[in-house]
């Protein structure tokens, strides 16, 4: 999560993952994360940070190497979802329901810039008090019973929510434990006072 240098009440939460396996995938993921983080810290908008990251990756990676990213820009009026090649949906928990939302965009590092920037189509999200937004990696979405856990624990305080959801996922993994890393990022809009 990176808070805006100009306005600390605005922030961007993001997750970057690799496409593929091996050294090139690890390097692509790390390069994408570093460039994205650096651009956001310098005050770039999510769109500009993604465009910058894409250009750097295209220049420094072998053909076909790429990374995918999901960014959630948060501000007082709501949120905006950006996805560059990511197909894991943002899960919106409100009033006992879990809705899925995806945005459009191609993976980072595949295009010199024009096609990447044109394909990047963010989704606006209006949030009401008590709405919880959840996103993570593929391993999170493959977790057994995730939607039920989100519905059941969404009203709780965020620390309790994280403990209950992640604890249940780990417990359900059995004696061998989790076979892959699970990334869970959540944001909950405060209730009005």
């Amino acid at each position: 999560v990176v808070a805006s240098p100009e306005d600390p009440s605005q922030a961007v939460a993001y997750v970057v993952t690799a496409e593929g396996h091996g050294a090139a995938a690890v390097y692509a993921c790390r390069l994408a994360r570093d460039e994205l983080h650096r651009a956001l810290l310098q005050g770039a908008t999510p769109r500009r940070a993604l465009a910058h990251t894409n250009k750097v990756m295209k220049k420094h990676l072998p053909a076909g190497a790429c990374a995918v990213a999901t960014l959630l820009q948060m501000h007082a009026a709501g949120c905006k979802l950006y996805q560059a090649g990511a197909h894991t949906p943002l899960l919106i928990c409100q009033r006992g329901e879990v809705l899925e939302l995806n945005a459009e965009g191609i993976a980072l590092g595949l295009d010199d810039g024009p096609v990447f920037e044109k394909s990047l189509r963010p989704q606006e999200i209006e949030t009401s008090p008590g709405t919880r937004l959840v996103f993570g990696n593929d391993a999170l979405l493959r977790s057994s019973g995730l939607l039920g856990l989100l519905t059941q624990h969404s009203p709780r305080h965020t620390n309790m929510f994280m403990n209950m959801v992640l604890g249940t996922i780990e417990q359900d993994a059995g004696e061998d434990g989790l076979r892959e890393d699970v990334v869970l990022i959540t944001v909950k809009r405060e209730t009005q006072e």
Side-chain angles (χ1 to χ4, degrees), residues 110-142:
L110 295 180
D111 174 70
D112 288 334
V115 174
F116 176 84
E117 291 180 34
K118 188 175 183 179
S119 74
L120 196 59
R121 294 190 185 111
Q123 290 287 328
E124 289 278 345
I125 306 161
E126 291 183 26
T127 57
S128 58
T131 300
R132 179 178 298 282
L133 305 176
V134 176
F135 66 102
N137 61 355
D138 288 333
L140 172 70
L141 294 177
R142 287 192 303 271

Side-chain angles (χ1 to χ4, degrees), residues 1 4 10 29 43 47 51 54 58 63 68 113 115 117-118 179 190:
V1 177
S4 169
Q10 296 185 28
C29 186
R47 180 178 280 284
N54 180 64
K58 181 64 177 171
V68 299
V115 174
E117 291 180 34
K118 188 175 183 179
R179 294 189 174 166
E190 293 181 7

Side-chain angles (χ1 to χ4, degrees), residues 4 14 45 49 52 69 89 93 122 127 148 173:
S4 169
Y14 68 90
T45 64
H52 162 77
C93 308
T127 57

Side-chain angles (χ1 to χ4, degrees), residues 150-170:
L150 297 181
T151 302
Q152 180 183 0
H153 300 296
S154 180
R156 297 178 186 262
H157 184 274
T158 297
N159 286 336
M160 181 63 78
F161 170 82
M162 295 289 284
N163 289 335
M164 296 302 291
V165 172
L166 290 174
T168 303
I169 289 171
E170 283 188 44

Side-chain angles (χ1 to χ4, degrees), residues 62-77:
C66 63
V68 299
T70 297
L71 287 83
L72 183 64
Q73 181 182 28
M74 301 164 285
H75 47 82

